Amino acid sequence: MAEVTAEWEWDALSAAALDAYRSARRGEAVHLWRRAGSLARGFPEGDPRRAASHNNDALALLIDQDHDGAVPALSSALASWEAALEWTRGMTVSAVARSSLFHQRMEQRHVAAYGDVRRARHREFLAGAAALTRFNLAIARLFLDDDEAADALLATALAERERAFGPNNAEVIEIARVLSGRADAAEDDARMALYDARIKAAAGNRARDVLDIWRREQPLEMNDTRRLLGAGYLTAMVHERDFL
């Protein structure tokens, strides 16, 4: 019972921390992330919420301008995401409500096939969450003048986030903005124009905010799907006010 209570508490703390950070209440966000991280350390190895908390704890180092500490912490968080990707192979896949009775019957007849398709989508979703850790790590490396590694991380982060969350996702737009700035600094006008075009195309049709999606779509029971969605939606990326 205590472990289940900790899981619900992790959700509440992590959502409150993300909301606080977005509102520039940095101290409150860091305090809440640390409380959530303490709970996450009691979750099983590979649980994606451990990776999310690992990222969020490391983000506190970026906020404090401790870039030397942030790089190894965020690199370790990426390893936690790799463990989480393996976790999806054994996770219990919950049934999804369908509007079509045909789809319901097909899923019942082909449970294994549908489960495999959904697990593949779950891995893509977690890769999209890990993209925010890559972005955070890239920012830390830029402050340490490791530009080549940072640029590679940014490019991968953009591709993985867009693949999982679509081109109109707010975090995709923010990553593209940083890449546009990097192209501008390198006086690569053609590359900058490509990123700027993507930003402009998405600006008028932004996807729903991930925190709103989490609040509306979180499963009502504590299961592997809720664990996965919580980790993916409650992973934070460093705000531009903390690195520009």
Side-chain angles (χ1 to χ4, degrees), residues 6-16 49 214 222 226 230 234:
E7 295 191 86
W8 292 104
E9 189 175 356
W10 185 91
D11 285 357
L13 290 168
S14 299
R49 295 168 300 177
W214 164 246
M222 184 57 67
R226 185 182 176 107
L234 301 178

Side-chain angles (χ1 to χ4, degrees), residues 20-211:
Y21 183 55
R22 289 176 168 188
S23 301
R25 303 195 307 273
R26 296 178 183 85
E28 179 183 346
V30 169
H31 173 70
L32 294 170
W33 276 327
R34 285 174 177 161
R35 288 179 58 191
S38 179
L39 293 172
R41 286 189 284 276
F43 298 159
E45 290 291 334
D47 188 310
R49 295 168 300 177
R50 289 174 64 108
S53 273
H54 208 158
N55 171 85
N56 296 341
D57 282 343
L59 186 53
L61 298 171
L62 266 184
I63 294 170
D64 289 340
Q65 303 292 304
D66 181 4
H67 305 114
D68 287 314
V71 166
L74 289 163
S75 298
S76 181
L78 284 179
S80 295
W81 284 117
E82 289 298 322
L85 291 173
E86 286 301 312
W87 174 89
T88 63
R89 300 184 189 278
M91 71 176 285
T92 300
V93 178
S94 302
V96 174
R98 301 277 188 177
S99 58
S100 166
L101 180 60
F102 169 77
H103 282 113
Q104 290 177 10
R105 288 174 175 168
M106 287 294 291
E107 184 161 356
Q108 289 169 358
R109 292 176 184 174
H110 305 283
V111 174
Y114 274 86
D116 288 345
V117 169
R118 218 173 275 145
R119 285 189 182 91
R121 177 67 186 104
H122 291 336
R123 286 192 289 276
E124 182 178 80
F125 174 77
L126 286 186
L132 300 189
T133 303
R134 295 188 197 282
F135 176 81
N136 295 337
L137 179 56
I139 297 302
R141 289 199 175 280
L142 284 173
F143 275 98
L144 297 178
D145 296 323
D146 191 356
D147 290 7
E148 185 175 351
D151 288 340
L153 284 163
L154 287 168
T156 301
L158 180 65
E160 292 186 344
R161 186 71 181 183
E162 184 171 358
R163 187 178 304 116
F165 288 83
N168 297 335
N169 171 255
E171 288 75 24
V172 167
I173 297 170
E174 292 308 311
I175 297 169
R177 280 195 179 127
V178 172
L179 280 163
S180 174
R182 295 291 298 153
D184 186 23
E187 299 183 346
D188 188 338
D189 292 343
R191 188 159 57 95
M192 183 177 69
L194 288 174
Y195 289 125
D196 287 349
R198 294 172 71 169
I199 295 165
K200 183 177 179 179
N205 186 31
R206 285 204 175 197
R208 284 169 55 196
D209 178 73
V210 292
L211 190 52

